[in-house]
Coordinates of all heavy atoms in Angstrom, one line a residue:
A15 N 145.7 143.5 -0.3 CA 144.6 142.7 0.2 C 145.2 141.3 0.5 O 146.3 140.9 0.1 CB 143.4 142.6 -0.7
A16 N 144.5 140.5 1.3 CA 144.9 139.2 1.6 C 144.7 138.3 0.4 O 143.8 138.6 -0.4 CB 144.0 138.6 2.8
P17 N 145.5 137.2 0.3 CA 145.3 136.3 -0.8 C 143.9 135.7 -0.8 O 143.2 135.6 0.2 CB 146.4 135.2 -0.6 CG 147.4 135.9 0.3 CD 146.6 136.8 1.2
L18 N 143.4 135.3 -2.0 CA 142.1 134.6 -2.1 C 142.4 133.1 -2.3 O 143.0 132.7 -3.3 CB 141.4 135.2 -3.4 CG 139.9 135.0 -3.5 CD1 139.2 135.6 -2.3 CD2 139.4 135.5 -4.8
P19 N 142.0 132.3 -1.3 CA 142.3 130.9 -1.4 C 141.3 130.1 -2.3 O 140.2 130.6 -2.5 CB 142.2 130.5 0.1 CG 141.2 131.4 0.6 CD 141.3 132.7 -0.1
F20 N 141.7 129.0 -2.7 CA 140.7 128.0 -3.3 C 139.8 127.6 -2.1 O 140.2 127.5 -1.0 CB 141.4 126.8 -3.8 CG 142.2 127.0 -5.1 CD1 143.6 127.0 -5.1 CD2 141.6 127.3 -6.3 CE1 144.3 127.2 -6.2 CE2 142.3 127.5 -7.4 CZ 143.7 127.4 -7.4
R21 N 138.5 127.3 -2.5 CA 137.6 126.7 -1.5 C 137.7 125.2 -1.6 O 138.0 124.6 -2.6 CB 136.2 127.1 -1.9 CG 135.9 128.6 -1.6 CD 134.4 128.9 -1.6 NE 133.7 128.2 -0.5 CZ 132.4 128.2 -0.4 NH1 131.7 128.9 -1.2 NH2 131.8 127.5 0.6
S22 N 137.5 124.6 -0.5 CA 137.6 123.1 -0.4 C 136.3 122.5 -0.8 O 135.2 122.9 -0.4 CB 137.9 122.7 1.0 OG 137.8 121.3 1.2
L23 N 136.3 121.4 -1.6 CA 135.1 120.7 -2.0 C 134.4 120.1 -0.8 O 133.2 119.9 -0.8 CB 135.4 119.6 -3.0 CG 135.6 120.1 -4.4 CD1 136.1 118.9 -5.3 CD2 134.3 120.6 -5.0
R24 N 135.2 119.9 0.3 CA 134.6 119.3 1.5 C 133.6 120.3 2.1 O 132.7 119.9 2.8 CB 135.7 118.9 2.5 CG 136.5 117.7 2.1 CD 137.4 117.2 3.2 NE 138.5 118.2 3.3 CZ 139.7 118.2 2.7 NH1 139.9 117.2 1.8 NH2 140.6 119.0 2.9
D25 N 133.8 121.6 1.9 CA 133.0 122.6 2.5 C 131.9 123.1 1.5 O 131.1 123.9 1.9 CB 133.8 123.8 2.9 CG 134.9 123.5 3.9 OD1 134.7 122.5 4.6 OD2 136.0 124.1 3.8
A26 N 131.8 122.5 0.3 CA 130.9 123.0 -0.7 C 129.5 122.4 -0.4 O 129.4 121.2 -0.1 CB 131.4 122.6 -2.1
E27 N 128.5 123.3 -0.6 CA 127.1 122.8 -0.5 C 126.8 122.2 -1.9 O 126.9 122.9 -2.9 CB 126.2 123.9 -0.2 CG 126.4 124.5 1.2 CD 125.4 125.6 1.6 OE1 124.5 125.8 0.7 OE2 125.5 126.2 2.6
E28 N 126.2 121.0 -1.9 CA 125.8 120.4 -3.2 C 124.5 121.1 -3.6 O 123.5 121.1 -2.9 CB 125.6 118.9 -3.0 CG 126.9 118.2 -2.8 CD 127.9 118.3 -3.9 OE1 127.4 118.2 -5.1 OE2 129.1 118.4 -3.7
P29 N 124.5 121.5 -4.9 CA 123.2 122.1 -5.4 C 122.1 121.1 -5.5 O 122.4 119.9 -5.9 CB 123.6 122.6 -6.8 CG 124.8 121.8 -7.2 CD 125.5 121.5 -5.9
Q30 N 120.9 121.5 -5.1 CA 119.8 120.6 -5.1 C 119.1 120.7 -6.5 O 119.0 121.8 -7.0 CB 118.8 120.9 -4.0 CG 119.4 120.7 -2.6 CD 119.8 119.3 -2.4 OE1 119.1 118.3 -2.6 NE2 121.0 119.2 -1.8
P31 N 118.6 119.6 -7.1 CA 117.9 119.7 -8.4 C 116.8 120.7 -8.3 O 116.0 120.6 -7.4 CB 117.4 118.2 -8.6 CG 118.4 117.4 -7.8 CD 118.7 118.2 -6.6
G32 N 116.7 121.5 -9.3 CA 115.7 122.5 -9.4 C 115.8 123.7 -8.5 O 114.9 124.5 -8.4
H33 N 117.0 123.9 -7.9 CA 117.2 125.0 -7.0 C 118.5 125.7 -7.3 O 119.3 125.2 -8.1 CB 117.3 124.5 -5.5 CG 116.0 124.0 -5.0 ND1 115.6 122.7 -5.2 CD2 115.0 124.6 -4.2 CE1 114.4 122.6 -4.6 NE2 114.1 123.7 -4.0
G34 N 118.6 126.9 -6.8 CA 119.9 127.6 -6.9 C 120.2 128.1 -8.3 O 119.3 128.3 -9.1
E35 N 121.4 128.3 -8.6 CA 121.9 128.9 -9.8 C 121.5 128.1 -11.1 O 121.2 128.6 -12.1 CB 123.4 129.1 -9.8 CG 123.9 130.0 -10.9 CD 125.4 130.2 -10.7 OE1 125.9 130.0 -9.6 OE2 126.0 130.6 -11.7
S36 N 121.4 126.7 -10.9 CA 121.1 125.9 -12.0 C 119.7 126.0 -12.5 O 119.4 125.8 -13.7 CB 121.5 124.4 -11.7 OG 122.9 124.3 -11.5
G37 N 118.7 126.2 -11.6 CA 117.3 126.2 -11.9 C 116.9 124.9 -12.5 O 117.1 123.9 -12.0
R38 N 116.2 125.0 -13.7 CA 115.7 123.8 -14.4 C 116.7 123.1 -15.1 O 116.5 121.9 -15.5 CB 114.5 124.2 -15.3 CG 113.3 124.7 -14.6 CD 112.2 125.0 -15.6 NE 112.6 126.0 -16.6 CZ 112.8 125.7 -17.9 NH1 112.7 124.5 -18.4 NH2 113.1 126.7 -18.8
R39 N 117.8 123.7 -15.5 CA 118.8 123.1 -16.4 C 119.7 122.1 -15.7 O 119.8 122.1 -14.5 CB 119.5 124.2 -17.1 CG 120.4 125.0 -16.2 CD 121.2 126.0 -17.0 NE 121.9 127.0 -16.2 CZ 123.1 126.7 -15.6 NH1 123.6 125.5 -15.7 NH2 123.7 127.7 -14.9
Q40 N 120.4 121.3 -16.5 CA 121.4 120.5 -15.9 C 122.6 121.3 -15.5 O 123.0 122.2 -16.2 CB 121.8 119.4 -17.0 CG 120.7 118.6 -17.6 CD 120.3 117.5 -16.5 OE1 120.8 117.5 -15.4 NE2 119.3 116.7 -16.9
P41 N 123.3 120.9 -14.4 CA 124.5 121.6 -14.0 C 125.7 121.4 -14.9 O 125.8 120.3 -15.5 CB 124.7 121.1 -12.6 CG 124.0 119.8 -12.5 CD 122.9 119.9 -13.4
L42 N 126.5 122.4 -15.0 CA 127.7 122.3 -15.8 C 128.9 122.7 -14.9 O 129.0 123.9 -14.5 CB 127.6 123.2 -17.0 CG 128.9 123.4 -17.9 CD1 129.4 122.1 -18.5 CD2 128.6 124.4 -19.0
W43 N 129.9 121.8 -14.7 CA 131.1 122.1 -14.0 C 132.3 122.0 -14.9 O 132.3 121.3 -15.8 CB 131.2 121.1 -12.8 CG 130.2 121.3 -11.7 CD1 129.1 122.0 -11.7 CD2 130.3 120.6 -10.4 NE1 128.4 121.9 -10.5 CE2 129.1 121.0 -9.7 CE3 131.2 119.8 -9.8 CZ2 128.8 120.6 -8.4 CZ3 130.9 119.3 -8.5 CH2 129.8 119.7 -7.8
L44 N 133.3 122.8 -14.6 CA 134.6 122.8 -15.3 C 135.7 122.4 -14.3 O 135.8 123.0 -13.2 CB 134.9 124.2 -15.8 CG 136.2 124.4 -16.6 CD1 136.1 123.6 -17.9 CD2 136.4 125.9 -16.9
V45 N 136.4 121.4 -14.7 CA 137.6 120.9 -14.0 C 138.9 121.3 -14.7 O 139.0 121.1 -15.9 CB 137.5 119.4 -13.7 CG1 138.8 118.9 -13.3 CG2 136.4 119.1 -12.7
L46 N 139.8 121.9 -14.0 CA 141.1 122.3 -14.5 C 142.2 121.5 -13.9 O 142.4 121.5 -12.7 CB 141.3 123.8 -14.2 CG 140.2 124.7 -14.6 CD1 140.5 126.2 -14.2 CD2 140.0 124.7 -16.1
E47 N 142.9 120.7 -14.8 CA 143.9 119.8 -14.3 C 145.3 120.4 -14.6 O 145.7 120.6 -15.8 CB 143.8 118.5 -15.0 CG 144.9 117.5 -14.5 CD 144.8 116.1 -15.1 OE1 144.5 116.0 -16.3 OE2 145.1 115.1 -14.5
H48 N 146.0 120.9 -13.6 CA 147.4 121.4 -13.7 C 147.5 122.6 -14.6 O 148.5 122.6 -15.4 CB 148.3 120.2 -14.1 CG 148.3 119.0 -13.2 ND1 148.6 117.8 -13.6 CD2 147.8 118.9 -11.9 CE1 148.5 116.9 -12.5 NE2 148.0 117.6 -11.5
I49 N 146.6 123.5 -14.6 CA 146.8 124.8 -15.3 C 147.8 125.6 -14.5 O 147.6 125.9 -13.3 CB 145.5 125.5 -15.4 CG1 144.5 124.7 -16.2 CG2 145.7 126.9 -16.1 CD1 144.9 124.4 -17.6
Q50 N 148.9 126.0 -15.1 CA 150.0 126.6 -14.4 C 150.2 128.1 -14.8 O 150.9 128.8 -14.0 CB 151.3 125.8 -14.7 CG 151.2 124.4 -14.1 CD 152.5 123.6 -14.3 OE1 153.3 123.9 -15.2 NE2 152.7 122.6 -13.4
D51 N 149.7 128.6 -15.9 CA 150.0 130.0 -16.3 C 148.9 130.8 -15.7 O 147.7 130.6 -16.0 CB 150.0 130.1 -17.8 CG 150.3 131.5 -18.3 OD1 149.3 132.3 -18.5 OD2 151.5 131.8 -18.4
P52 N 149.2 131.9 -15.0 CA 148.2 132.7 -14.4 C 147.3 133.5 -15.4 O 146.1 133.7 -15.1 CB 149.0 133.7 -13.5 CG 150.3 133.7 -14.0 CD 150.6 132.3 -14.6
M53 N 147.8 133.8 -16.5 CA 147.0 134.5 -17.6 C 146.0 133.5 -18.1 O 144.8 133.9 -18.4 CB 147.9 135.0 -18.7 CG 148.9 136.1 -18.2 SD 148.1 137.6 -17.7 CE 147.5 138.2 -19.2
N54 N 146.4 132.3 -18.3 CA 145.5 131.2 -18.8 C 144.4 131.0 -17.8 O 143.2 130.9 -18.1 CB 146.2 129.9 -19.1 CG 146.9 130.0 -20.5 OD1 146.5 130.7 -21.4 ND2 147.9 129.2 -20.6
L55 N 144.8 130.8 -16.5 CA 143.8 130.6 -15.5 C 142.8 131.7 -15.4 O 141.6 131.4 -15.3 CB 144.5 130.3 -14.1 CG 143.6 130.1 -12.9 CD1 142.7 128.9 -13.2 CD2 144.4 129.8 -11.7
G56 N 143.3 132.9 -15.4 CA 142.4 134.1 -15.3 C 141.4 134.1 -16.5 O 140.2 134.3 -16.4
A57 N 141.9 133.8 -17.7 CA 141.1 133.8 -18.9 C 140.0 132.6 -18.8 O 138.9 132.8 -19.3 CB 141.9 133.7 -20.2
L58 N 140.5 131.5 -18.3 CA 139.5 130.4 -18.2 C 138.4 130.7 -17.2 O 137.2 130.4 -17.5 CB 140.3 129.2 -17.6 CG 141.1 128.4 -18.6 CD1 142.2 127.5 -17.9 CD2 140.2 127.5 -19.5
L59 N 138.7 131.4 -16.1 CA 137.7 131.7 -15.1 C 136.8 132.8 -15.7 O 135.5 132.8 -15.4 CB 138.4 132.2 -13.8 CG 139.2 131.2 -13.1 CD1 139.9 131.8 -11.9 CD2 138.3 130.0 -12.6
R60 N 137.3 133.7 -16.5 CA 136.5 134.7 -17.1 C 135.5 134.1 -18.0 O 134.3 134.4 -18.0 CB 137.4 135.7 -17.8 CG 136.6 136.9 -18.5 CD 137.6 137.9 -19.1 NE 136.9 139.1 -19.6 CZ 137.6 140.1 -20.1 NH1 138.9 140.1 -20.2 NH2 136.9 141.2 -20.5
S61 N 135.9 133.2 -18.9 CA 135.0 132.5 -19.8 C 134.0 131.6 -19.1 O 132.8 131.6 -19.5 CB 135.8 131.6 -20.8 OG 136.7 132.4 -21.6

């Protein structure tokens, strides 16, 4: 299959309060700075 690219934040739709996946709760985002091991990255995404 073709590679799966990262998505650009410039193309991301900002979630609106009270809508979408977040619903009533506060949104929670995870930022990964310079994770280089593919096994670690996969495990992080799974969690």
Side-chain angles (χ1 to χ4, degrees):
L18 198 60
F20 289 109
R21 291 194 61 184
S22 170
L23 278 172
R24 289 186 290 271
D25 301 330
E27 294 183 6
E28 290 297 320
Q30 299 299 313
H33 291 82
E35 193 175 339
S36 296
R38 293 185 297 112
R39 63 177 173 81
Q40 301 287 2
L42 171 61
W43 290 11
L44 179 67
V45 165
L46 306 176
E47 183 182 32
H48 303 158
I49 299 298
Q50 297 183 335
D51 183 271
M53 297 296 289
N54 281 336
L55 180 55
L58 283 160
L59 295 175
R60 183 176 186 175
S61 295

